[in-house]
Amino acid sequence: METGTGVWPVKNQEEIEMSKDTRILIAGGGVGGLALAQALHHAGVDVTVFEQDPTPRTRNQGYRIHIDPNGNAALAECVTPEVLDVLRRTSGRNGDLVTTFTTGLQRVFAQDFAGIPDSQLTAVDRNAFRQGLLTGLGEAVRFGRTVSNYQLTDSGRVRVEFTEGGSDEGDLLVGADGVGSVIRRQLLPDAVVNDFGLRCIYGRLPLTGVLSPEEFERGLCWVSGGSTCGVGFGTVRFRTPTAERTDYLMVTLIATPQRLGVADETLFHMSSEQLWKLSADVVADWHPAIRDIYARSDIDSFFPITFPISDPVPAWEPGPITLLGDSVHAMPPTAGAGANTALADAATLAREILSATRGDQSLADAVAAYQAIMLPRGFDAVDKSRQMAAQMFAD
C-alpha cells in the first residue's frame, strides 16, 4: 500500500474507468460537499459524505450566506427540483440593495438589484441551507466521522482512516473539509493558508418589527469605520417562518486585532457576553440606530472567527484525491464568494464525474478536467475577495 502524493499508480492509469460500482468519498459535509453529494446521489452514483460534526447543527461559521447568480446556477445543476424547492422555501426573502454608510449613517454608496426573480435565492440561513442540502441523502451522510488521513492502495483506490477508529475505501476522495483540511495538508503539504489580518465577531438581532433605516431591510449594509473596522448587517426574513426559524438581522463586526485591543488567545476564549460587550464598545460613539441594534441583540449569539486566505497553488497531477471549496481556495467573505465558489466546484466536479459514468472519459480524465477549471476560477475569486476587502477598509 502507498501513501504518496495522491497520484494514480502509472500501471493503472489506463485501467481507471468509471463503472456502476465506482465509489466516491467526500470528506466534509459543508455547502460544497453536500451539493456534490446531491448531484451524484440522485444520479445513482455510490457516494458517502463523512462529516466530523456530530450533528448538522453544531457548527458556528456565520449565520447568513449570500447566493449569487453563479451559485443559483450551480445549485440548479446539483439538486433535484424537489430539493431546490425545499431550499427556496427555507431561504430568506430576496434583498435588492447593497449599501455603504458612514458611522453616522450617511449613505455613501448604493447598488440596486431590483428585478431579481423570486425563483432565485439571495439570502439563506446557513443552518437552514445545510438542512435543505441534506434532503434525501439519508445514510449517504455520516456525521461524527472525522477523516484523519488517506492511503493509496496498490489497485489505485484510496482508503481513508477515521479519528474515531475504522476505515473506508473508494475510487475517489474529495477533500471538502474546509480551510483546515487534513486532505490538503497530506496532498499538498506546501500549500499556504495565511491569516488575512482581520477578526470577525458574529451576532444576531431577532426581528419583531421593521428596521430603520429602510436600507437595512432591503439587503446587505456595510458601515465603514475606516481602515481598522466596520460592521456588516444582513436581514434574513424567512419565506416560511417557523418556531425554529425566526427572522433576524445578522450583525458582524470586522476589525483588526489592534482595533479590538484583544489578543487572539483571549478573544477566542471570551464568552458570548464578553464578545457582545466588546462589539458594543467599538460602536459606542456611532449612530444611535447602530448602538440600539447591539443593545437589543441576542447576547448568546456572539462568537468570533478569523479570516484565512489561501496562496495560489500550482496545478498538481490528478489522482484519486482532489479538493473542493475552502480546502483549496479559502478566502475572506468580503466578496461573498466563498459558498458560491464551492457550489460552482461541486457542479463542475459532478458534471465531470457523471461524464465518466456515461463512458465519455475515464475517472482520471474527469478529475483532470475538473482541476483545470477549479483552480483558476477559485483563485480568481480569492483575488476578488482581497480587492473587495481593500475597498471596504479604505479610510
Side-chain angles (χ1 to χ4, degrees):
M1 183 171 295
E2 301 184 10
T3 60
T5 59
V7 178
W8 270 294
V10 173
K11 66 178 182 179
N12 288 334
Q13 188 72 21
E14 298 301 326
E15 301 171 12
I16 301 169
E17 299 294 336
M18 194 80 180
S19 64
K20 291 184 178 179
D21 59 354
T22 296
R23 190 150 187 259
I24 310 297
L25 309 179
I26 302 173
V31 168
L34 291 179
L36 175 61
Q38 283 281 347
L40 298 180
H41 178 74
H42 290 292
V45 177
D46 185 359
V47 58
T48 303
V49 179
F50 302 107
E51 168 54 49
Q52 66 178 351
D53 290 349
T55 77
R57 301 175 185 274
T58 55
R59 179 177 299 193
N60 276 343
Q61 285 185 295
Y63 293 116
R64 182 190 190 274
I65 301 175
H66 171 68
I67 306 297
D68 66 15
N70 292 329
N72 274 277
L75 273 176
E77 187 171 348
C78 287
V79 306
T80 64
E82 293 76 18
V83 173
L84 192 57
D85 182 61
V86 170
L87 294 174
R88 286 197 191 100
R89 286 188 286 106
T90 57
S91 71
R93 299 200 296 266
N94 288 347
D96 62 359
L97 190 67
V98 173
T99 319
T100 300
F101 292 93
T102 66
T103 58
L105 283 189
Q106 177 184 358
R107 193 166 91 167
V108 295
F109 171 83
Q111 186 170 2
D112 198 310
F113 294 91
I116 297 175
D118 197 52
S119 59
Q120 297 281 290
L121 286 73
T122 59
V124 300
D125 173 75
R126 183 178 291 274
N127 282 332
F129 193 56
R130 196 183 194 193
Q131 285 292 121
L133 285 173
L134 286 166
T135 303
L137 291 180
E139 295 184 1
V141 182
R142 302 181 186 176
F143 284 94
R145 302 297 282 167
T146 308
V147 177
S148 59
N149 64 83
Y150 66 80
Q151 296 177 324
L152 298 186
T153 70
D154 293 334
S155 63
R157 302 188 90 211
V158 58
R159 177 172 297 166
V160 294
E161 307 284 341
F162 302 109
T163 302
E164 298 82 7
S167 63
D168 209 335
E169 193 171 303
D171 298 278
L172 175 66
L173 169 63
V174 182
D177 48 342
V179 64
S181 172
V182 298
I183 309 302
R184 182 197 66 246
R185 287 201 296 268
Q186 186 173 347
L187 179 67
L188 304 174
D190 295 328
V192 175
V193 180
N194 294 303
D195 179 356
F196 193 63
L198 295 171
R199 302 295 177 261
C200 177
I201 302 177
Y202 276 101
R204 301 202 312 182
L205 167 68
L207 292 177
T208 55
V210 178
L211 282 168
S212 179
E214 67 167 348
E215 290 92 339
F216 282 24
E217 278 284 358
R218 294 182 55 190
L220 291 168
C221 297
W222 174 249
V223 181
S224 174
S227 61
T228 61
C229 69
V231 173
F233 298 114
T235 51
V236 179
R237 297 278 191 184
F238 286 102
R239 299 188 192 206
T240 52
T242 66
E244 188 180 41
R245 291 193 305 269
T246 56
D247 298 343
Y248 65 88
L249 177 72
M250 179 183 71
V251 180
T252 58
L253 170 67
I254 303 174
T256 62
Q258 293 77 16
R259 178 65 180 87
L260 291 176
V262 177
D264 281 355
E265 50 267 31
T266 300
L267 180 70
F268 288 91
H269 288 88
M270 294 174 75
S271 68
S272 294
E273 183 174 3
Q274 289 172 321
L275 292 165
W276 164 76
K277 186 177 187 306
L278 176 62
S279 302
D281 286 347
V282 170
V283 303
D285 60 351
W286 293 17
H287 192 278
I290 299 172
R291 301 201 305 267
D292 181 62
I293 285 173
Y294 273 95
R296 295 187 294 116
S297 290
D298 177 2
I299 293 175
D300 293 334
S301 70
F302 284 75
F303 66 91
I305 66 168
T306 62
F307 280 5
I309 186 167
S310 297
D311 279 356
V313 297
W316 67 91
E317 189 173 350
I321 300 97
T322 193
L323 301 170
L324 181 154
D326 283 350
S327 67
V328 60
H329 44 62
M331 65 195 77
T334 45
N340 294 289
T341 308
L343 288 170
D345 287 353
T348 301
L349 182 53
R351 190 183 314 130
E352 296 298 338
I353 291 174
L354 295 179
S355 171
T357 68
R358 297 190 297 269
D360 297 337
Q361 61 182 336
S362 69
L363 185 56
D365 287 341
V367 173
Y370 160 69
Q371 292 179 180
I373 296 171
M374 175 273 292
L375 282 170
R377 177 178 61 202
F379 286 103
D380 179 63
V382 171
D383 285 342
K384 289 177 179 175
S385 292
R386 193 194 320 267
Q387 294 166 18
M388 180 64 74
Q391 295 176 25
M392 291 170 63
F393 285 88
D395 194 350

mmCIF file of all heavy atoms in Angstrom, residues 20-49:
data_model
loop_
_atom_site.group_PDB
_atom_site.id
_atom_site.type_symbol
_atom_site.label_atom_id
_atom_site.label_comp_id
_atom_site.label_asym_id
_atom_site.label_seq_id
_atom_site.Cartn_x
_atom_site.Cartn_y
_atom_site.Cartn_z
ATOM 1 N N LYS A 20 -20.351 1.199 -12.698
ATOM 2 C CA LYS A 20 -21.511 1.391 -11.827
ATOM 3 C C LYS A 20 -21.169 1.183 -10.360
ATOM 4 O O LYS A 20 -21.868 1.696 -9.492
ATOM 5 C CB LYS A 20 -22.629 0.446 -12.251
ATOM 6 C CG LYS A 20 -23.244 0.810 -13.592
ATOM 7 C CD LYS A 20 -24.408 -0.106 -13.928
ATOM 8 C CE LYS A 20 -25.045 0.297 -15.258
ATOM 9 N NZ LYS A 20 -26.157 -0.599 -15.625
ATOM 10 N N ASP A 21 -20.107 0.423 -10.074
ATOM 11 C CA ASP A 21 -19.756 0.191 -8.674
ATOM 12 C C ASP A 21 -18.655 1.132 -8.187
ATOM 13 O O ASP A 21 -18.081 0.950 -7.129
ATOM 14 C CB ASP A 21 -19.332 -1.262 -8.452
ATOM 15 C CG ASP A 21 -18.131 -1.654 -9.311
ATOM 16 O OD1 ASP A 21 -17.718 -0.838 -10.150
ATOM 17 O OD2 ASP A 21 -17.640 -2.783 -9.145
ATOM 18 N N THR A 22 -18.335 2.173 -8.977
ATOM 19 C CA THR A 22 -17.363 3.175 -8.534
ATOM 20 C C THR A 22 -17.902 3.904 -7.307
ATOM 21 O O THR A 22 -19.082 4.265 -7.252
ATOM 22 C CB THR A 22 -17.074 4.182 -9.654
ATOM 23 O OG1 THR A 22 -16.461 3.486 -10.750
ATOM 24 C CG2 THR A 22 -16.134 5.271 -9.179
ATOM 25 N N ARG A 23 -17.036 4.134 -6.335
ATOM 26 C CA ARG A 23 -17.458 4.735 -5.075
ATOM 27 C C ARG A 23 -16.726 6.050 -4.854
ATOM 28 O O ARG A 23 -15.500 6.124 -4.959
ATOM 29 C CB ARG A 23 -17.162 3.771 -3.922
ATOM 30 C CG ARG A 23 -17.782 4.192 -2.607
ATOM 31 C CD ARG A 23 -18.111 2.981 -1.748
ATOM 32 N NE ARG A 23 -18.850 3.399 -0.574
ATOM 33 C CZ ARG A 23 -18.299 3.545 0.644
ATOM 34 N NH1 ARG A 23 -17.022 3.259 0.829
ATOM 35 N NH2 ARG A 23 -19.031 3.959 1.656
ATOM 36 N N ILE A 24 -17.489 7.112 -4.545
ATOM 37 C CA ILE A 24 -16.938 8.442 -4.298
ATOM 38 C C ILE A 24 -17.047 8.732 -2.802
ATOM 39 O O ILE A 24 -18.131 8.609 -2.215
ATOM 40 C CB ILE A 24 -17.685 9.529 -5.100
ATOM 41 C CG1 ILE A 24 -17.801 9.131 -6.580
ATOM 42 C CG2 ILE A 24 -16.986 10.873 -4.924
ATOM 43 C CD1 ILE A 24 -16.500 8.986 -7.297
ATOM 44 N N LEU A 25 -15.944 9.130 -2.192
ATOM 45 C CA LEU A 25 -15.914 9.515 -0.782
ATOM 46 C C LEU A 25 -15.714 11.024 -0.688
ATOM 47 O O LEU A 25 -14.877 11.582 -1.399
ATOM 48 C CB LEU A 25 -14.772 8.806 -0.051
ATOM 49 C CG LEU A 25 -14.656 7.287 -0.209
ATOM 50 C CD1 LEU A 25 -13.449 6.768 0.577
ATOM 51 C CD2 LEU A 25 -15.935 6.593 0.230
ATOM 52 N N ILE A 26 -16.479 11.675 0.169
ATOM 53 C CA ILE A 26 -16.367 13.122 0.368
ATOM 54 C C ILE A 26 -16.053 13.377 1.833
ATOM 55 O O ILE A 26 -16.827 12.971 2.718
ATOM 56 C CB ILE A 26 -17.658 13.857 -0.032
ATOM 57 C CG1 ILE A 26 -18.010 13.576 -1.495
ATOM 58 C CG2 ILE A 26 -17.521 15.358 0.210
ATOM 59 C CD1 ILE A 26 -19.357 14.130 -1.921
ATOM 60 N N ALA A 27 -14.936 14.029 2.106
ATOM 61 C CA ALA A 27 -14.590 14.430 3.471
ATOM 62 C C ALA A 27 -15.109 15.839 3.684
ATOM 63 O O ALA A 27 -14.583 16.790 3.102
ATOM 64 C CB ALA A 27 -13.084 14.362 3.680
ATOM 65 N N GLY A 28 -16.160 15.979 4.486
ATOM 66 C CA GLY A 28 -16.704 17.300 4.777
ATOM 67 C C GLY A 28 -18.123 17.478 4.293
ATOM 68 O O GLY A 28 -18.401 17.324 3.106
ATOM 69 N N GLY A 29 -19.018 17.796 5.221
ATOM 70 C CA GLY A 29 -20.429 17.961 4.891
ATOM 71 C C GLY A 29 -20.876 19.410 4.965
ATOM 72 O O GLY A 29 -21.945 19.713 5.520
ATOM 73 N N GLY A 30 -20.075 20.301 4.392
ATOM 74 C CA GLY A 30 -20.484 21.693 4.277
ATOM 75 C C GLY A 30 -21.255 21.923 2.993
ATOM 76 O O GLY A 30 -21.743 20.980 2.359
ATOM 77 N N VAL A 31 -21.345 23.180 2.576
ATOM 78 C CA VAL A 31 -22.139 23.537 1.400
ATOM 79 C C VAL A 31 -21.663 22.796 0.155
ATOM 80 O O VAL A 31 -22.451 22.162 -0.555
ATOM 81 C CB VAL A 31 -22.090 25.065 1.181
ATOM 82 C CG1 VAL A 31 -22.654 25.430 -0.181
ATOM 83 C CG2 VAL A 31 -22.865 25.783 2.281
ATOM 84 N N GLY A 32 -20.357 22.858 -0.134
ATOM 85 C CA GLY A 32 -19.843 22.237 -1.356
ATOM 86 C C GLY A 32 -19.929 20.731 -1.339
ATOM 87 O O GLY A 32 -20.330 20.102 -2.331
ATOM 88 N N GLY A 33 -19.551 20.123 -0.218
ATOM 89 C CA GLY A 33 -19.590 18.666 -0.120
ATOM 90 C C GLY A 33 -20.982 18.108 -0.273
ATOM 91 O O GLY A 33 -21.194 17.090 -0.952
ATOM 92 N N LEU A 34 -21.965 18.763 0.340
ATOM 93 C CA LEU A 34 -23.344 18.274 0.255
ATOM 94 C C LEU A 34 -23.935 18.512 -1.130
ATOM 95 O O LEU A 34 -24.709 17.683 -1.628
ATOM 96 C CB LEU A 34 -24.214 18.943 1.323
ATOM 97 C CG LEU A 34 -23.912 18.541 2.770
ATOM 98 C CD1 LEU A 34 -24.822 19.293 3.733
ATOM 99 C CD2 LEU A 34 -24.060 17.034 2.979
ATOM 100 N N ALA A 35 -23.597 19.631 -1.768
ATOM 101 C CA ALA A 35 -24.095 19.869 -3.126
ATOM 102 C C ALA A 35 -23.556 18.808 -4.085
ATOM 103 O O ALA A 35 -24.296 18.291 -4.937
ATOM 104 C CB ALA A 35 -23.698 21.267 -3.601
ATOM 105 N N LEU A 36 -22.277 18.464 -3.946
ATOM 106 C CA LEU A 36 -21.706 17.405 -4.781
ATOM 107 C C LEU A 36 -22.397 16.081 -4.497
ATOM 108 O O LEU A 36 -22.737 15.330 -5.432
ATOM 109 C CB LEU A 36 -20.204 17.296 -4.510
ATOM 110 C CG LEU A 36 -19.477 16.151 -5.217
ATOM 111 C CD1 LEU A 36 -19.574 16.284 -6.731
ATOM 112 C CD2 LEU A 36 -18.017 16.088 -4.768
ATOM 113 N N ALA A 37 -22.621 15.778 -3.220
ATOM 114 C CA ALA A 37 -23.293 14.526 -2.863
ATOM 115 C C ALA A 37 -24.696 14.470 -3.450
ATOM 116 O O ALA A 37 -25.140 13.412 -3.928
ATOM 117 C CB ALA A 37 -23.349 14.381 -1.345
ATOM 118 N N GLN A 38 -25.415 15.590 -3.437
ATOM 119 C CA GLN A 38 -26.752 15.636 -4.031
ATOM 120 C C GLN A 38 -26.700 15.257 -5.507
ATOM 121 O O GLN A 38 -27.464 14.412 -5.986
ATOM 122 C CB GLN A 38 -27.347 17.035 -3.884
ATOM 123 C CG GLN A 38 -27.884 17.372 -2.512
ATOM 124 C CD GLN A 38 -29.257 16.768 -2.259
ATOM 125 O OE1 GLN A 38 -29.939 16.295 -3.179
ATOM 126 N NE2 GLN A 38 -29.676 16.770 -1.007
ATOM 127 N N ALA A 39 -25.775 15.876 -6.248
ATOM 128 C CA ALA A 39 -25.692 15.636 -7.689
ATOM 129 C C ALA A 39 -25.373 14.179 -7.996
ATOM 130 O O ALA A 39 -25.967 13.570 -8.904
ATOM 131 C CB ALA A 39 -24.637 16.556 -8.308
ATOM 132 N N LEU A 40 -24.448 13.602 -7.234
ATOM 133 C CA LEU A 40 -24.033 12.231 -7.503
ATOM 134 C C LEU A 40 -25.081 11.223 -7.017
ATOM 135 O O LEU A 40 -25.405 10.256 -7.719
ATOM 136 C CB LEU A 40 -22.684 11.957 -6.834
ATOM 137 C CG LEU A 40 -21.509 12.818 -7.310
ATOM 138 C CD1 LEU A 40 -20.237 12.439 -6.561
ATOM 139 C CD2 LEU A 40 -21.301 12.687 -8.816
ATOM 140 N N HIS A 41 -25.600 11.458 -5.820
ATOM 141 C CA HIS A 41 -26.559 10.525 -5.230
ATOM 142 C C HIS A 41 -27.803 10.381 -6.099
ATOM 143 O O HIS A 41 -28.272 9.261 -6.365
ATOM 144 C CB HIS A 41 -26.933 11.000 -3.824
ATOM 145 C CG HIS A 41 -27.943 10.146 -3.129
ATOM 146 N ND1 HIS A 41 -27.644 8.905 -2.612
ATOM 147 C CD2 HIS A 41 -29.265 10.364 -2.869
ATOM 148 C CE1 HIS A 41 -28.734 8.387 -2.054
ATOM 149 N NE2 HIS A 41 -29.722 9.250 -2.195
ATOM 150 N N HIS A 42 -28.333 11.490 -6.556
ATOM 151 C CA HIS A 42 -29.569 11.440 -7.337
ATOM 152 C C HIS A 42 -29.332 10.965 -8.765
ATOM 153 O O HIS A 42 -30.286 10.648 -9.478
ATOM 154 C CB HIS A 42 -30.264 12.797 -7.308
ATOM 155 C CG HIS A 42 -30.832 13.135 -5.966
ATOM 156 N ND1 HIS A 42 -31.896 12.458 -5.410
ATOM 157 C CD2 HIS A 42 -30.456 14.057 -5.030
ATOM 158 C CE1 HIS A 42 -32.163 12.956 -4.211
ATOM 159 N NE2 HIS A 42 -31.304 13.915 -3.960
ATOM 160 N N ALA A 43 -28.060 10.868 -9.156
ATOM 161 C CA ALA A 43 -27.729 10.276 -10.455
ATOM 162 C C ALA A 43 -27.404 8.796 -10.329
ATOM 163 O O ALA A 43 -27.057 8.152 -11.321
ATOM 164 C CB ALA A 43 -26.550 11.016 -11.080
ATOM 165 N N GLY A 44 -27.514 8.263 -9.110
ATOM 166 C CA GLY A 44 -27.293 6.836 -8.901
ATOM 167 C C GLY A 44 -25.860 6.441 -8.618
ATOM 168 O O GLY A 44 -25.538 5.249 -8.606
ATOM 169 N N VAL A 45 -24.983 7.426 -8.370
ATOM 170 C CA VAL A 45 -23.583 7.122 -8.057
ATOM 171 C C VAL A 45 -23.469 6.794 -6.567
ATOM 172 O O VAL A 45 -24.108 7.427 -5.724
ATOM 173 C CB VAL A 45 -22.675 8.316 -8.418
ATOM 174 C CG1 VAL A 45 -21.225 8.048 -8.019
ATOM 175 C CG2 VAL A 45 -22.771 8.630 -9.902
ATOM 176 N N ASP A 46 -22.646 5.818 -6.236
ATOM 177 C CA ASP A 46 -22.397 5.437 -4.848
ATOM 178 C C ASP A 46 -21.501 6.500 -4.211
ATOM 179 O O ASP A 46 -20.314 6.601 -4.530
ATOM 180 C CB ASP A 46 -21.723 4.065 -4.809
ATOM 181 C CG ASP A 46 -21.537 3.540 -3.384
ATOM 182 O OD1 ASP A 46 -21.908 4.253 -2.434
ATOM 183 O OD2 ASP A 46 -21.006 2.410 -3.240
ATOM 184 N N VAL A 47 -22.057 7.318 -3.331
ATOM 185 C CA VAL A 47 -21.321 8.410 -2.710
ATOM 186 C C VAL A 47 -21.588 8.422 -1.217
ATOM 187 O O VAL A 47 -22.712 8.168 -0.770
ATOM 188 C CB VAL A 47 -21.705 9.777 -3.342
ATOM 189 C CG1 VAL A 47 -23.191 10.059 -3.210
ATOM 190 C CG2 VAL A 47 -20.882 10.912 -2.745
ATOM 191 N N THR A 48 -20.544 8.691 -0.431
ATOM 192 C CA THR A 48 -20.676 8.794 1.010
ATOM 193 C C THR A 48 -19.940 10.032 1.488
ATOM 194 O O THR A 48 -18.798 10.283 1.082
ATOM 195 C CB THR A 48 -20.098 7.552 1.723
ATOM 196 O OG1 THR A 48 -20.748 6.380 1.241
ATOM 197 C CG2 THR A 48 -20.311 7.643 3.232
ATOM 198 N N VAL A 49 -20.597 10.798 2.368
ATOM 199 C CA VAL A 49 -20.015 12.001 2.962
ATOM 200 C C VAL A 49 -19.661 11.689 4.413
ATOM 201 O O VAL A 49 -20.483 11.166 5.163
ATOM 202 C CB VAL A 49 -21.005 13.182 2.926
ATOM 203 C CG1 VAL A 49 -20.384 14.431 3.564
ATOM 204 C CG2 VAL A 49 -21.458 13.467 1.500
#
